[in-house]
Amino acid sequence: MAKTNLLNEMCAKYTTAQDVKAMGIYPYYRPISSGQDPVVTMASGQKVLMFGSNSYLGLSDDPRLKEAAIEAVRKYGSSCSGSRFLNGTLDLHEELEAKLAKFVGKEEAVTYSTGFQVNLGVISALAPRGGFVFLDALDHACIIDGARLGFSEVRKFAHNDMDALERKLRLTPRNAIKLIVVDGVYSMEGDIAPLPRIVELCDKYNASVMVDDAHGLGVIGENGSGTASHYGLTDQTDLIMGTFSKSFGSLGGFIAGSHEVLNYLKHNSRTLIFSASMTPAAAAAASKALDIMIEEPERREHLWEVTRHAQKAFKDNGFDTGHTQSPIIPLFVRDTIKAMTAVKLALEQGVFITPVIEPAVPKKDVLIRFALMATHTVEQVDEAVDKLTKIFRQLEIIA
Ligand SMILES: Cc1ncc(COP(=O)(O)O)c(C=O)c1O
């Protein structure tokens, strides 16, 4: 029995999760006992179709990544036992960084142990007192937290609304440091940032732009090199951030940009300097994934084939899929209980999907996220769309 104290009392007042559990529709922390493949095995032994993963290229269970990780553990051990800054830099990290910089078309890159830490450590370091950080309303949580940790004033603009961004930029001094941070591909809605307009505004108002390409890398742009490349705007995009937890099938993240900014970050970014570096296994797996990404364009082509197929099938069946332009397909439900119920019924019927509810999105934007992988087949997509159509009709989410 936990002792009574203020902290326990405060936490005990949070009952949302228990309430949902009592209703039998709690959709989180569902244990899986296999790799993130198109079919995963739940801890219960049930085999289900996985449409809730971020492994867009289907690489996280690829034998070549696993072998690279095992080799790295054999050579370097299980941990670097320190930060990049001090004792935790391996030749493996430096090789990966050189490849990443070339891949995204920037002068230099540095890796962090997670994507979340990249955004915390980069944005906070580049947000000095007297400066301004401009955030899209749908930016990922770690972008928001990175801005919170900085000293600059934070200005939010409505999602992808470039007039709103311009109005905010107009009100800031020309000579103040101004950093605009956007997702390249939005993680829940699947739409793409209007980078051409953002770059124009950067020129006009003397601002810089950082693109979080967690969901763009591996998926769009030349060889999957992301949103800036997709628009042909690599040179005009100041900073490109990526994570290894999606298309790269590993764990960790990086920031790429000019020598000057990278040098500054390497000596001032606290989540880099004061946190242990990427494990050898994670670095080796990410590096192998990058090679495969470049050498096997057919993976990305197939990802797009199943993506287009799924987008059309959902639309034909009357789903509201918003403005997706990517393998992330939002299925708008606009009702929390219905969304959780649909996720539960789907799992019972063999389809793993994930809900996106308040406070992550406003109630009117509650959705189910359906995400494709290069390893899915068209038949698997059809099976999932059929099952979800029946469930959505049963719950009167679609007609
Ligand atoms: C847009 C975006 N940025 C950053 C992150 C954080 O990445 P990581 O999982 O590597 O910490 C995520 C992960 O959900 C993301 O979706």
PDB file of all heavy atoms in Angstrom, residues 134 169 174 176-180 198-199 201-209 236 238:
ATOM      1  N   PHE A 134       8.793  30.138 -33.692  1.00  0.00           N
ATOM      2  CA  PHE A 134       7.460  30.050 -34.292  1.00  0.00           C
ATOM      3  C   PHE A 134       7.122  28.585 -34.500  1.00  0.00           C
ATOM      4  O   PHE A 134       7.876  27.853 -35.152  1.00  0.00           O
ATOM      5  CB  PHE A 134       7.436  30.789 -35.635  1.00  0.00           C
ATOM      6  CG  PHE A 134       7.722  32.249 -35.483  1.00  0.00           C
ATOM      7  CD1 PHE A 134       9.035  32.708 -35.446  1.00  0.00           C
ATOM      8  CD2 PHE A 134       6.687  33.167 -35.336  1.00  0.00           C
ATOM      9  CE1 PHE A 134       9.312  34.055 -35.275  1.00  0.00           C
ATOM     10  CE2 PHE A 134       6.958  34.517 -35.167  1.00  0.00           C
ATOM     11  CZ  PHE A 134       8.279  34.964 -35.128  1.00  0.00           C
ATOM     12  N   LEU A 169       5.218  36.923 -37.814  1.00  0.00           N
ATOM     13  CA  LEU A 169       6.591  37.345 -38.154  1.00  0.00           C
ATOM     14  C   LEU A 169       6.674  38.864 -38.290  1.00  0.00           C
ATOM     15  O   LEU A 169       7.649  39.492 -37.863  1.00  0.00           O
ATOM     16  CB  LEU A 169       7.016  36.701 -39.478  1.00  0.00           C
ATOM     17  CG  LEU A 169       7.453  35.243 -39.410  1.00  0.00           C
ATOM     18  CD1 LEU A 169       7.469  34.614 -40.798  1.00  0.00           C
ATOM     19  CD2 LEU A 169       8.838  35.108 -38.772  1.00  0.00           C
ATOM     20  N   ARG A 174      13.220  42.833 -37.010  1.00  0.00           N
ATOM     21  CA  ARG A 174      13.967  42.221 -38.110  1.00  0.00           C
ATOM     22  C   ARG A 174      15.279  41.599 -37.625  1.00  0.00           C
ATOM     23  O   ARG A 174      15.705  40.559 -38.101  1.00  0.00           O
ATOM     24  CB  ARG A 174      14.238  43.280 -39.188  1.00  0.00           C
ATOM     25  CG  ARG A 174      14.871  42.671 -40.398  1.00  0.00           C
ATOM     26  CD  ARG A 174      14.788  43.455 -41.671  1.00  0.00           C
ATOM     27  NE  ARG A 174      15.561  42.739 -42.681  1.00  0.00           N
ATOM     28  CZ  ARG A 174      15.105  41.728 -43.403  1.00  0.00           C
ATOM     29  NH1 ARG A 174      13.872  41.312 -43.263  1.00  0.00           N
ATOM     30  NH2 ARG A 174      15.887  41.097 -44.269  1.00  0.00           N
ATOM     31  N   ALA A 176      15.960  40.367 -34.630  1.00  0.00           N
ATOM     32  CA  ALA A 176      15.892  39.355 -33.564  1.00  0.00           C
ATOM     33  C   ALA A 176      16.091  37.971 -34.195  1.00  0.00           C
ATOM     34  O   ALA A 176      15.708  37.739 -35.344  1.00  0.00           O
ATOM     35  CB  ALA A 176      14.530  39.421 -32.888  1.00  0.00           C
ATOM     36  N   ILE A 177      16.713  37.043 -33.433  1.00  0.00           N
ATOM     37  CA  ILE A 177      16.835  35.650 -33.910  1.00  0.00           C
ATOM     38  C   ILE A 177      15.430  35.064 -34.001  1.00  0.00           C
ATOM     39  O   ILE A 177      14.666  35.113 -33.029  1.00  0.00           O
ATOM     40  CB  ILE A 177      17.658  34.817 -32.896  1.00  0.00           C
ATOM     41  CG1 ILE A 177      19.064  35.373 -32.734  1.00  0.00           C
ATOM     42  CG2 ILE A 177      17.642  33.333 -33.264  1.00  0.00           C
ATOM     43  CD1 ILE A 177      20.044  34.925 -33.775  1.00  0.00           C
ATOM     44  N   LYS A 178      15.105  34.508 -35.159  1.00  0.00           N
ATOM     45  CA  LYS A 178      13.756  33.944 -35.337  1.00  0.00           C
ATOM     46  C   LYS A 178      13.893  32.539 -35.945  1.00  0.00           C
ATOM     47  O   LYS A 178      14.460  32.389 -37.028  1.00  0.00           O
ATOM     48  CB  LYS A 178      12.926  34.820 -36.285  1.00  0.00           C
ATOM     49  CG  LYS A 178      12.609  36.181 -35.684  1.00  0.00           C
ATOM     50  CD  LYS A 178      11.788  37.037 -36.618  1.00  0.00           C
ATOM     51  CE  LYS A 178      12.601  37.685 -37.706  1.00  0.00           C
ATOM     52  NZ  LYS A 178      13.536  38.706 -37.274  1.00  0.00           N
ATOM     53  N   LEU A 179      13.379  31.550 -35.236  1.00  0.00           N
ATOM     54  CA  LEU A 179      13.455  30.166 -35.716  1.00  0.00           C
ATOM     55  C   LEU A 179      12.039  29.622 -35.901  1.00  0.00           C
ATOM     56  O   LEU A 179      11.244  29.617 -34.957  1.00  0.00           O
ATOM     57  CB  LEU A 179      14.224  29.304 -34.692  1.00  0.00           C
ATOM     58  CG  LEU A 179      14.361  27.821 -35.045  1.00  0.00           C
ATOM     59  CD1 LEU A 179      15.206  27.625 -36.299  1.00  0.00           C
ATOM     60  CD2 LEU A 179      14.989  27.045 -33.872  1.00  0.00           C
ATOM     61  N   ILE A 180      11.759  29.194 -37.126  1.00  0.00           N
ATOM     62  CA  ILE A 180      10.458  28.564 -37.410  1.00  0.00           C
ATOM     63  C   ILE A 180      10.689  27.053 -37.378  1.00  0.00           C
ATOM     64  O   ILE A 180      11.606  26.553 -38.036  1.00  0.00           O
ATOM     65  CB  ILE A 180       9.942  28.972 -38.810  1.00  0.00           C
ATOM     66  CG1 ILE A 180       9.828  30.493 -38.913  1.00  0.00           C
ATOM     67  CG2 ILE A 180       8.608  28.295 -39.124  1.00  0.00           C
ATOM     68  CD1 ILE A 180       9.632  30.999 -40.345  1.00  0.00           C
ATOM     69  N   ILE A 198       7.202  28.811 -46.478  1.00  0.00           N
ATOM     70  CA  ILE A 198       7.958  29.069 -45.241  1.00  0.00           C
ATOM     71  C   ILE A 198       9.324  29.651 -45.588  1.00  0.00           C
ATOM     72  O   ILE A 198       9.784  30.627 -44.971  1.00  0.00           O
ATOM     73  CB  ILE A 198       8.105  27.764 -44.413  1.00  0.00           C
ATOM     74  CG1 ILE A 198       6.728  27.291 -43.943  1.00  0.00           C
ATOM     75  CG2 ILE A 198       9.041  27.985 -43.218  1.00  0.00           C
ATOM     76  CD1 ILE A 198       6.725  25.960 -43.224  1.00  0.00           C
ATOM     77  N   VAL A 199       9.942  29.079 -46.617  1.00  0.00           N
ATOM     78  CA  VAL A 199      11.267  29.544 -47.039  1.00  0.00           C
ATOM     79  C   VAL A 199      11.195  30.999 -47.547  1.00  0.00           C
ATOM     80  O   VAL A 199      12.054  31.830 -47.247  1.00  0.00           O
ATOM     81  CB  VAL A 199      11.800  28.559 -48.111  1.00  0.00           C
ATOM     82  CG1 VAL A 199      12.891  29.168 -48.927  1.00  0.00           C
ATOM     83  CG2 VAL A 199      12.277  27.276 -47.454  1.00  0.00           C
ATOM     84  N   LEU A 201       9.033  33.203 -46.547  1.00  0.00           N
ATOM     85  CA  LEU A 201       8.842  34.058 -45.364  1.00  0.00           C
ATOM     86  C   LEU A 201      10.151  34.223 -44.590  1.00  0.00           C
ATOM     87  O   LEU A 201      10.421  35.282 -44.018  1.00  0.00           O
ATOM     88  CB  LEU A 201       7.744  33.478 -44.459  1.00  0.00           C
ATOM     89  CG  LEU A 201       6.325  33.540 -45.046  1.00  0.00           C
ATOM     90  CD1 LEU A 201       5.331  32.799 -44.157  1.00  0.00           C
ATOM     91  CD2 LEU A 201       5.875  34.986 -45.246  1.00  0.00           C
ATOM     92  N   CYS A 202      10.960  33.166 -44.586  1.00  0.00           N
ATOM     93  CA  CYS A 202      12.271  33.259 -43.923  1.00  0.00           C
ATOM     94  C   CYS A 202      13.103  34.359 -44.585  1.00  0.00           C
ATOM     95  O   CYS A 202      13.733  35.178 -43.903  1.00  0.00           O
ATOM     96  CB  CYS A 202      13.025  31.940 -44.020  1.00  0.00           C
ATOM     97  SG  CYS A 202      12.467  30.713 -42.867  1.00  0.00           S
ATOM     98  N   ASP A 203      13.096  34.372 -45.893  1.00  0.00           N
ATOM     99  CA  ASP A 203      13.854  35.392 -46.642  1.00  0.00           C
ATOM    100  C   ASP A 203      13.326  36.782 -46.315  1.00  0.00           C
ATOM    101  O   ASP A 203      14.084  37.706 -46.032  1.00  0.00           O
ATOM    102  CB  ASP A 203      13.652  35.172 -48.154  1.00  0.00           C
ATOM    103  CG  ASP A 203      14.704  34.237 -48.703  1.00  0.00           C
ATOM    104  OD1 ASP A 203      15.601  33.862 -47.925  1.00  0.00           O
ATOM    105  OD2 ASP A 203      14.603  33.865 -49.887  1.00  0.00           O
ATOM    106  N   LYS A 204      12.009  36.880 -46.376  1.00  0.00           N
ATOM    107  CA  LYS A 204      11.390  38.202 -46.211  1.00  0.00           C
ATOM    108  C   LYS A 204      11.594  38.767 -44.806  1.00  0.00           C
ATOM    109  O   LYS A 204      11.788  39.971 -44.640  1.00  0.00           O
ATOM    110  CB  LYS A 204       9.891  38.053 -46.520  1.00  0.00           C
ATOM    111  CG  LYS A 204       9.116  39.352 -46.598  1.00  0.00           C
ATOM    112  CD  LYS A 204       7.744  39.103 -47.204  1.00  0.00           C
ATOM    113  CE  LYS A 204       6.864  40.338 -47.093  1.00  0.00           C
ATOM    114  NZ  LYS A 204       5.480  40.054 -47.489  1.00  0.00           N
ATOM    115  N   TYR A 205      11.552  37.880 -43.795  1.00  0.00           N
ATOM    116  CA  TYR A 205      11.590  38.379 -42.402  1.00  0.00           C
ATOM    117  C   TYR A 205      12.885  38.017 -41.676  1.00  0.00           C
ATOM    118  O   TYR A 205      12.957  38.101 -40.454  1.00  0.00           O
ATOM    119  CB  TYR A 205      10.370  37.859 -41.634  1.00  0.00           C
ATOM    120  CG  TYR A 205       9.093  38.465 -42.169  1.00  0.00           C
ATOM    121  CD1 TYR A 205       8.312  37.778 -43.086  1.00  0.00           C
ATOM    122  CD2 TYR A 205       8.696  39.749 -41.795  1.00  0.00           C
ATOM    123  CE1 TYR A 205       7.162  38.336 -43.610  1.00  0.00           C
ATOM    124  CE2 TYR A 205       7.539  40.324 -42.309  1.00  0.00           C
ATOM    125  CZ  TYR A 205       6.785  39.615 -43.216  1.00  0.00           C
ATOM    126  OH  TYR A 205       5.645  40.187 -43.738  1.00  0.00           O
ATOM    127  N   ASN A 206      13.898  37.589 -42.435  1.00  0.00           N
ATOM    128  CA  ASN A 206      15.197  37.328 -41.822  1.00  0.00           C
ATOM    129  C   ASN A 206      15.105  36.244 -40.737  1.00  0.00           C
ATOM    130  O   ASN A 206      15.610  36.401 -39.622  1.00  0.00           O
ATOM    131  CB  ASN A 206      15.721  38.652 -41.212  1.00  0.00           C
ATOM    132  CG  ASN A 206      17.215  38.628 -40.989  1.00  0.00           C
ATOM    133  OD1 ASN A 206      17.920  37.841 -41.608  1.00  0.00           O
ATOM    134  ND2 ASN A 206      17.695  39.479 -40.093  1.00  0.00           N
ATOM    135  N   ALA A 207      14.427  35.153 -41.071  1.00  0.00           N
ATOM    136  CA  ALA A 207      14.228  34.055 -40.105  1.00  0.00           C
ATOM    137  C   ALA A 207      14.914  32.785 -40.622  1.00  0.00           C
ATOM    138  O   ALA A 207      15.365  32.726 -41.766  1.00  0.00           O
ATOM    139  CB  ALA A 207      12.735  33.802 -39.929  1.00  0.00           C
ATOM    140  N   SER A 208      15.008  31.773 -39.759  1.00  0.00           N
ATOM    141  CA  SER A 208      15.569  30.475 -40.141  1.00  0.00           C
ATOM    142  C   SER A 208      14.500  29.404 -39.958  1.00  0.00           C
ATOM    143  O   SER A 208      13.586  29.575 -39.151  1.00  0.00           O
ATOM    144  CB  SER A 208      16.763  30.128 -39.255  1.00  0.00           C
ATOM    145  OG  SER A 208      17.735  31.128 -39.360  1.00  0.00           O
ATOM    146  N   VAL A 209      14.664  28.292 -40.689  1.00  0.00           N
ATOM    147  CA  VAL A 209      13.665  27.229 -40.558  1.00  0.00           C
ATOM    148  C   VAL A 209      14.338  25.898 -40.229  1.00  0.00           C
ATOM    149  O   VAL A 209      15.390  25.561 -40.757  1.00  0.00           O
ATOM    150  CB  VAL A 209      12.781  27.104 -41.834  1.00  0.00           C
ATOM    151  CG1 VAL A 209      13.598  26.809 -43.078  1.00  0.00           C
ATOM    152  CG2 VAL A 209      11.718  26.020 -41.649  1.00  0.00           C
ATOM    153  N   GLN A 236      17.829  25.939 -48.943  1.00  0.00           N
ATOM    154  CA  GLN A 236      17.113  27.007 -48.226  1.00  0.00           C
ATOM    155  C   GLN A 236      16.599  26.550 -46.859  1.00  0.00           C
ATOM    156  O   GLN A 236      16.080  27.357 -46.093  1.00  0.00           O
ATOM    157  CB  GLN A 236      15.920  27.502 -49.052  1.00  0.00           C
ATOM    158  CG  GLN A 236      16.307  28.241 -50.320  1.00  0.00           C
ATOM    159  CD  GLN A 236      16.381  27.309 -51.531  1.00  0.00           C
ATOM    160  OE1 GLN A 236      16.852  26.180 -51.446  1.00  0.00           O
ATOM    161  NE2 GLN A 236      15.927  27.788 -52.661  1.00  0.00           N
ATOM    162  N   ASP A 238      17.380  25.509 -43.287  1.00  0.00           N
ATOM    163  CA  ASP A 238      18.581  25.673 -42.451  1.00  0.00           C
ATOM    164  C   ASP A 238      18.936  24.411 -41.685  1.00  0.00           C
ATOM    165  O   ASP A 238      20.090  24.017 -41.628  1.00  0.00           O
ATOM    166  CB  ASP A 238      18.356  26.831 -41.467  1.00  0.00           C
ATOM    167  CG  ASP A 238      18.067  28.113 -42.212  1.00  0.00           C
ATOM    168  OD1 ASP A 238      19.024  28.739 -42.673  1.00  0.00           O
ATOM    169  OD2 ASP A 238      16.879  28.464 -42.370  1.00  0.00           O
TER     170      ASP A 238
END
